[in-house]
Structures are given as C-alpha cells and as structure tokens.
Amino acid sequence: MDWHFPALSKPAADCRKRTTDLSETQTPSDPAPDSEHRVVCHLDRVLLQRGMTLTELSRLTGITMANLSILKTNKAKAVRFTTLTAVCDALETTPGELFSIGSRN
C-alpha cells in the first residue's frame, strides 16, 4: 500500500508575515516602537475605590487575570478599545480615570 502525505509547507504567499505593528507605518517623527511611553494606568486605585478585586473584575469582564495584571502593574504597551470598554463598564468609570500621562524626565 502506498501512503501519500500532502506537502506540509504552506505556499509562500500564505507565509508572509501579517503585521499591524507601527514599524511599517511609522514616520520619522514617531517614537521608536521600543521607546518607553508615559501612560500610567490607575487600575489598582480604581479597584480599591470600588472595593473590587482583580478576580471579580476578571469574572465581570471575561478578561484574563494575566491581562488585567499587566494593566494594573503598568506593563501594558497597548490596550484594545474592547478591553478598555469592558473595564470601564464593569468599574463604572471612564478612560480618564483609569489613565494619565506621566511627566517627562
């Protein structure tokens, strides 16, 4: 009996990197993607004010504890609008309460 195995590699067109990072659309005046931002997340303060835990917020929003923790510890480099909307709805707050811009060094 002969066994035939289809090719395991994808056509070259399918292997092209699909990217949405800033490097392709970046203009010379834009900061480098690796540069530090000054956006500060105040999720810890808002949770404390609302008497809510990260676990409760995760349950209410469907956002993983890991992702919420990244926000809370200011390690996030970006936030999706759907995530921001879910957090704001659950905490009955606004993006302006959750984020601020830190001072320049």
Side-chain angles (χ1 to χ4, degrees):
M1 174 184 262
D2 274 340
W3 291 95
H4 174 69
F5 294 98
L8 297 177
S9 63
K10 294 180 179 179
D14 292 340
C15 292
R16 280 189 212 121
K17 180 182 172 189
R18 292 183 184 149
T19 182
T20 56
D21 70 357
L22 295 177
S23 61
E24 290 183 0
T25 59
Q26 195 172 14
T27 62
S29 62
D30 290 340
D34 295 349
S35 68
E36 296 214 10
H37 61 78
R38 295 183 296 127
V39 175
V40 179
C41 182
H42 304 288
L43 181 57
D44 54 348
R45 184 188 68 203
V46 175
L47 283 169
L48 189 62
Q49 289 172 344
R50 304 294 191 276
M52 189 181 293
T53 65
L54 211 58
T55 304
E56 290 172 304
L57 183 59
S58 176
R59 184 180 50 77
L60 286 172
T61 61
I63 301 168
T64 65
M65 289 281 294
N67 285 336
L68 289 172
S69 180
I70 289 168
L71 270 176
K72 184 179 172 186
T73 58
N74 281 296
K75 294 180 182 174
K77 295 184 183 207
V79 181
R80 290 185 177 169
F81 286 146
T82 53
T83 299
L84 184 56
T85 301
V87 170
C88 286
D89 286 349
L91 293 173
E92 297 180 355
T93 191
T94 65
E97 273 191 274
L98 282 175
F99 297 99
S100 66
I101 301 291
S103 62
R104 294 179 192 232
N105 290 333

